[in-house]
């Protein structure tokens, strides 16, 4: 069994696990978020399902970076379950309770895009920076348009190719050729400066 972009807590069940380095991606995203929002601000966070390992890893990665700035204050957090509609609704509630926020950090692009729609409706989008995670086509377009501050792309094409190579090796030799079962692939920061290089969420133009 070859697992792509999902982590198993137990080793030995799969021949190989090829996954995005969510901790690295979250840290890179959070550093860009600080760069764009500033190091003094009230902010809110949209998180994925509590049962999802990726949601916890990304939230912890954000916190590791943002907690280094004592004048950044998280004033609200809501679970929006990776969903755009829930992101919209939860953002409306968060904004009502915290009208003076300067930033929104989101565990994935869908929640971030929902937040952007809510902020746009409230006439606040030009005052509040929103960061995403995944590198979805809609998010890359939003980064290009300047409505999404950045997104962090998971290098799915890269580890899908590696999975095919390792499966082929395993069928031929009984070994994947990889040094370890779990293999992490670093994520890529997409900002307005480099968004034009991405023709799709998973293809980097040469």
């Amino acid at each position: 069994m070859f697992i792509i972009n999902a982590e198993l807590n137990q080793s030995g069940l799969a021949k190989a696990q090829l996954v995005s380095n969510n901790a690295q991606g979250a840290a890179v995203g959070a550093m860009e978020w600080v760069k764009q929002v500033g190091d003094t601000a009230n902010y809110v966070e949209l998180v994925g399902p509590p049962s999802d390992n990726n949601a916890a890893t990304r939230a912890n990665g954000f916190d590791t970076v943002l907690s280094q700035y004592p004048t950044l204050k998280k004033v609200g957090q809501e679970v929006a379950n990776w969903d755009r509609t829930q992101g919209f609704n939860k953002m409306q509630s968060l904004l009502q309770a915290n009208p003076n926020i300067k930033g929104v950090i989101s565990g994935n692009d869908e929640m971030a895009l929902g937040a952007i729609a809510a902020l746009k409706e409230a006439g606040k989008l030009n005052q509040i920076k929103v960061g995403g995670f995944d590198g979805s086509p809609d998010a890359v377009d939003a980064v290009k348009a300047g409505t999404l501050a950045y997104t962090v792309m998971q290098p799915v094409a890269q580890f899908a190719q590696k999975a095919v190579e390792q499966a082929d090796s395993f069928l031929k030799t009984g070994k994947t050729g990889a040094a370890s079962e779990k293999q992490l692939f670093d994520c890529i920061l997409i900002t307005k400066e480099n968004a034009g290089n991405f023709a799709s969420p998973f293809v980097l133009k040469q």
Side-chain angles (χ1 to χ4, degrees), residues 2-6 16-22 54 58 153-167 183-187 202:
F2 286 75
I3 304 292
I4 297 176
N5 209 24
Q17 298 183 52
L18 299 96
V19 296
S20 297
N21 189 341
N22 280 281
N54 287 346
R58 292 175 192 179
M153 188 186 83
Q154 301 190 72
V156 176
Q158 187 185 351
F159 52 69
Q161 182 181 336
K162 284 285 183 191
V164 171
E165 290 171 5
Q166 290 174 27
Q183 302 156 56
L184 296 176
F185 292 79
D186 281 355
C187 300
F202 310 127

Side-chain angles (χ1 to χ4, degrees), residues 167-190:
D168 183 59
S169 172
F170 184 77
L171 289 171
K172 289 174 179 171
T173 68
K175 294 179 181 178
T176 64
S180 61
E181 177 190 325
K182 188 174 286 188
Q183 302 156 56
L184 296 176
F185 292 79
D186 281 355
C187 300
I188 301 159
L189 180 70
I190 300 178

Side-chain angles (χ1 to χ4, degrees), residues 53 76 98 127 148 152 164 176:
N53 282 346
N98 309 282
Q127 303 158 41
L148 184 65
V152 178
V164 171
T176 64

Side-chain angles (χ1 to χ4, degrees), residues 67-141:
S67 62
Q68 294 174 32
Y69 300 90
T71 46
L72 279 176
K73 186 180 176 190
K74 181 158 71 174
V75 294
Q77 177 178 302
E78 291 283 354
V79 173
N81 294 307
W82 304 141
D83 183 78
R84 194 179 302 204
T85 302
Q86 289 187 42
F88 178 87
N89 293 334
K90 296 294 175 73
M91 188 68 243
Q92 284 186 319
S93 303
L94 286 165
L95 190 58
Q96 201 166 8
N98 309 282
N100 297 319
I101 57 169
K102 283 188 180 178
V104 180
I105 196 160
S106 175
N108 87 332
D109 286 336
E110 284 300 299
M111 299 187 298
L113 292 165
I116 284 170
L119 293 170
K120 195 178 284 186
E121 191 177 272
K124 293 265 193 176
L125 189 54
N126 62 339
Q127 303 158 41
I128 298 171
K129 298 283 185 186
V130 181
F133 197 118
D134 275 340
S136 74
D138 286 352
V140 173
D141 287 344

